[in-house]
Amino acid sequence: MLTRELIEELAMIARRGSEQAADALGRLIRHPIAVHIDAVCSDRLDTICDNLAPCHQPCVGLIARLQGALDGNLALVLGEDAARQLVCDLHPRAEPDANVYDDYAQSILREVANITLSTYINSLGAHLARYCLPGPPDFVRDLGGAIAAGLLLETAAHGDAGLVFTTRMEDATGTRCCHLLFIPSPAALPLLMEGLSDDRGA
């Protein structure tokens, strides 16, 4: 059972992953990125969707399925303006009103997601001795809350509550803001707890 103490331990480990992911993203786009919100919570699924910052805004979602010792979904969710800014950062000749849905922009955003999500989950897996990698990210376009709801479908089949790791990263101006979500599958929860026990004994 996930107690408050276990969730706090997971949050400490996840914070390290969030900081490393923010650092990797900042190096990639050559702009410092900081972690502004970082949390691990066990909550009602409808509350999780409502609390996602860009819940009612059109967003770009890069969604990856975990492969390896842990099962679940990872996602990088960005508002359209933030996605456009990242495309411009990595393609200097892109127009400020660049279409973030064309093939070239999608390729850039998939690479951003691959690096950011891999860095995050590698850190988390290393601390828990549960190694896994995100698969190739799928590109989706929807409201932020709808993207989160889609990620929670697997969890919803097992009940109305779930465990969710959330991180909000952004630059000093707030124009490069993205949300990282990790939603372990119900089957992965015992492995997370076993990993915590191993981490304490290390």
Side-chain angles (χ1 to χ4, degrees):
M1 179 178 179
L2 282 170
T3 64
R4 179 178 177 180
E5 290 74 18
L6 287 174
I7 290 175
E8 288 176 352
E9 285 185 60
L10 283 173
M12 290 177 61
I13 292 171
R15 176 74 186 193
R16 299 168 196 158
S18 298
E19 290 172 346
Q20 290 182 25
D23 184 59
L25 177 59
R27 290 198 309 271
L28 178 66
I29 64 174
R30 299 182 180 178
H31 288 277
I33 300 292
V35 175
H36 287 266
I37 295 177
D38 186 73
V40 177
C41 65
S42 179
D43 209 342
R44 288 183 54 85
L45 302 184
D46 53 357
T47 302
I48 292 167
C49 293
D50 289 343
N51 287 341
L52 183 65
C55 179
H56 302 294
Q57 299 174 18
C59 288
V60 169
L62 290 307
I63 300 171
R65 183 74 183 181
L66 275 186
Q67 302 170 345
L70 292 178
D71 192 29
N73 290 307
L74 274 170
L76 195 67
V77 182
L78 310 94
E80 290 183 344
D81 289 343
R84 188 172 293 109
Q85 183 61 62
L86 291 183
V87 170
C88 291
D89 288 338
L90 293 170
H91 182 46
R93 287 184 288 182
E95 297 295 329
D97 59 350
N99 178 6
V100 296
Y101 303 112
D102 67 24
D103 291 343
Y104 188 70
Q106 287 189 35
S107 177
I108 289 174
L109 293 171
R110 281 193 174 95
E111 184 62 20
V112 169
N114 190 46
I115 290 170
T116 306
L117 298 177
S118 294
T119 301
Y120 177 84
I121 205 64
N122 284 348
S123 174
L124 193 68
H127 281 96
L128 297 173
R130 299 293 184 270
Y131 297 99
C132 49
L133 289 172
D138 292 324
F139 185 99
V140 298
R141 176 188 185 185
D142 210 329
L143 298 180
I147 293 173
L151 292 170
L152 290 164
L153 284 176
E154 180 179 2
T155 301
H158 297 266
D160 60 359
L163 182 70
V164 180
F165 296 64
T166 60
T167 300
R168 179 168 66 85
M169 302 178 287
E170 63 182 39
D171 67 348
T173 67
T175 56
R176 300 170 179 87
C177 178
C178 57
H179 297 257
L180 190 156
L181 304 176
F182 169 40
I183 303 172
S185 70
L189 297 184
L191 296 174
L192 287 172
M193 289 188 280
E194 288 173 13
L196 284 176
S197 298
D198 295 344
D199 188 56
R200 292 192 205 101

